[in-house]
Amino acid sequence: MDNKKKLNHLSSSIYDFICNYREYSDWYFYNNEIPDLESLKSKLDDEDNGLDFMSDLSEMFRYFVMEKDFTNTDEQEFFDTLCSIFKEYNIYLNSYEKNYKVDTLAKDLVKYVKESDPYEYRNNYINDDDALKSVKKCLYTISGVDAIKDHLNSDIEKYATDSDLTNNDILDYLKNASDLLIRVNEYSKEIKKQNNKEMDM
């Protein structure tokens, strides 16, 4: 699920909760701050406003924990819904971080391939934008990440065994490939963890 779909789903979940709780409690509940679904999406789509809003909502969460009667099935359901909302919001926040890492890592991988093997680069990609899109697509799947790791491992083995490491360019390629492999391995752990979280939702 991409970020836009995550935002839409999260916004709908929170707005439904707000509307249902307003009706249930006959109580002021973000009447002015959240008059409609679009205003909520705008808040959540802005990182600072989204964090402020969710901080306010967490006060509602605390209120449920401290004050509510969970023998009341309606209140239990509202509490369960809030738990699900905060879990979904955490995944949404993590996706921002993942996208940032994808962008940065993809740019560095493209730069590495372009410098270390310009022939392969020209053979596989139309231009830099095409290369970036292709690498980012790989980084969004576990199989694609594994393929990148295999490619880097192969390069490292080639540089270490078949190349003249007194050549400064070759030595730089070896260092860059090793550094990128470490970063891709760390990213691989994160994306697998994130995929497991989303499957548990």
Side-chain angles (χ1 to χ4, degrees):
M1 188 185 296
D2 62 30
N3 270 359
K4 185 174 181 181
K5 289 180 180 177
K6 287 179 181 176
L7 174 63
N8 289 339
H9 189 274
L10 175 63
S11 301
S12 295
S13 297
I14 295 175
Y15 189 67
D16 286 346
F17 171 82
I18 289 173
C19 291
N20 290 335
Y21 194 73
R22 280 173 180 162
E23 183 178 350
Y24 168 77
S25 65
D26 192 26
W27 180 64
Y28 172 86
F29 195 61
Y30 294 118
N31 286 341
N32 295 324
E33 294 89 344
I34 310 294
D36 52 42
L37 178 58
E38 289 306 314
S39 63
L40 178 57
K41 283 183 185 178
S42 295
K43 276 186 178 294
L44 294 177
D45 198 30
D46 181 281
E47 185 174 355
D48 291 335
N49 287 336
L51 287 172
D52 288 343
F53 172 77
M54 293 305 290
S55 178
D56 290 341
L57 193 63
S58 71
E59 288 298 308
M60 190 66 196
F61 186 86
R62 186 190 65 80
Y63 171 70
F64 270 107
V65 173
M66 301 299 293
E67 305 292 341
K68 286 299 185 179
D69 175 13
F70 290 132
T71 60
N72 180 320
T73 55
D74 288 332
E75 292 180 357
Q76 176 66 55
E77 286 180 8
F78 280 121
F79 177 73
D80 290 344
T81 300
L82 266 180
C83 289
S84 297
I85 284 171
F86 277 99
K87 180 178 180 181
E88 185 176 351
Y89 182 64
N90 184 59
I91 291 172
Y92 176 68
L93 284 183
N94 287 340
S95 69
Y96 266 124
E97 183 179 352
K98 186 176 81 172
N99 281 341
Y100 171 76
K101 288 186 178 179
V102 166
D103 287 340
T104 304
L105 188 54
K107 288 175 183 176
D108 290 343
L109 284 164
V110 167
K111 181 181 178 182
Y112 162 75
V113 174
K114 189 175 183 178
E115 291 177 351
S116 65
D117 197 341
Y119 176 80
E120 180 185 6
Y121 187 86
R122 290 193 299 270
N123 192 47
N124 289 331
Y125 308 115
I126 300 171
N127 51 38
D128 289 352
D129 286 341
D130 179 51
L132 192 60
K133 287 178 183 177
S134 178
V135 173
K136 285 176 73 173
K137 185 177 180 180
C138 287
L139 287 171
Y140 275 114
T141 66
I142 293 173
S143 60
V145 173
D146 287 342
I148 290 173
K149 288 195 292 184
D150 288 343
H151 183 90
L152 289 170
N153 272 315
S154 177
D155 280 0
I156 291 168
E157 182 178 0
K158 177 185 72 176
Y159 294 137
T161 59
D162 299 333
S163 302
D164 178 10
L165 293 181
T166 61
N167 182 312
N168 287 335
D169 287 339
I170 297 297
L171 187 58
D172 284 342
Y173 298 152
L174 174 60
K175 290 176 180 177
N176 289 340
S178 300
D179 176 64
L180 284 168
L181 181 60
I182 292 170
R183 290 169 60 192
V184 172
N185 275 328
E186 289 301 312
Y187 173 78
S188 177
K189 294 175 186 176
E190 291 182 19
I191 193 174
K192 287 176 181 177
K193 185 177 179 181
Q194 183 69 22
N195 283 352
N196 289 335
K197 282 184 180 179
E198 293 181 2
M199 289 174 63
D200 289 340
M201 279 190 66

